[in-house]
Amino acid sequence: MNKSKRPFTKSKRSFRRRLPPIQSGDRIDYRNMSSISRFISEQGKILSRRVNRVTLKQQRLITIAIKQARILSLLPFLNNQKQFER
């Protein structure tokens, strides 16, 4: 009997690792609208940590920055504009 050491081996698939959206040098600030707007959905909701692929600490900083920007009316609280195509 010729038994291999691993009878149930998975095929090794190569995959490209996604780069994190926030680099180590980036500052999360309420004034930096280009960086903050990536973490908001079309409806104006804050996207979850799993969707953003950020750490817990980064997600907390993002949430605080978005809330500060909303209070200073740099960002809308809701984006309810429904667009109708005719």
Side-chain angles (χ1 to χ4, degrees), residues 40-57:
I40 298 176
S41 69
E42 291 180 9
Q43 291 84 25
K45 294 181 180 180
I46 300 171
L47 294 174
S48 69
R49 202 182 127 207
R50 191 185 42 170
V51 174
N52 289 339
R53 294 183 182 263
V54 293
T55 63
L56 182 61
K57 192 173 184 180

Side-chain angles (χ1 to χ4, degrees), residues 71-84:
I71 289 169
L72 294 170
S73 67
L74 299 173
L75 281 175
F77 280 90
L78 292 172
N79 194 5
N80 286 343
Q81 296 175 351
K82 293 187 173 127
Q83 297 184 0
F84 298 102

Side-chain angles (χ1 to χ4, degrees), residues 13-45:
R13 285 183 279 151
S14 65
F15 62 95
R16 202 178 108 215
R17 220 174 138 170
R18 288 183 63 175
L19 295 172
I22 299 174
Q23 303 299 326
S24 60
D26 291 349
R27 300 230 345 116
I28 302 169
D29 196 24
Y30 67 93
R31 291 170 284 178
N32 194 352
M33 300 307 297
S34 60
S35 67
I36 288 178
S37 60
R38 290 185 295 179
F39 304 109
I40 298 176
S41 69
E42 291 180 9
Q43 291 84 25
K45 294 181 180 180

Side-chain angles (χ1 to χ4, degrees), residues 54-69:
V54 293
T55 63
L56 182 61
K57 192 173 184 180
Q58 289 172 337
Q59 181 69 20
R60 284 194 196 118
L61 292 171
I62 289 166
T63 304
I64 291 167
I66 289 171
K67 289 179 180 180
Q68 285 176 339

Side-chain angles (χ1 to χ4, degrees), residues 3-16:
K3 285 189 177 180
S4 64
K5 292 181 181 178
R6 293 186 205 166
F8 302 106
T9 57
K10 287 185 179 178
S11 64
K12 292 193 175 186
R13 285 183 279 151
S14 65
F15 62 95
R16 202 178 108 215

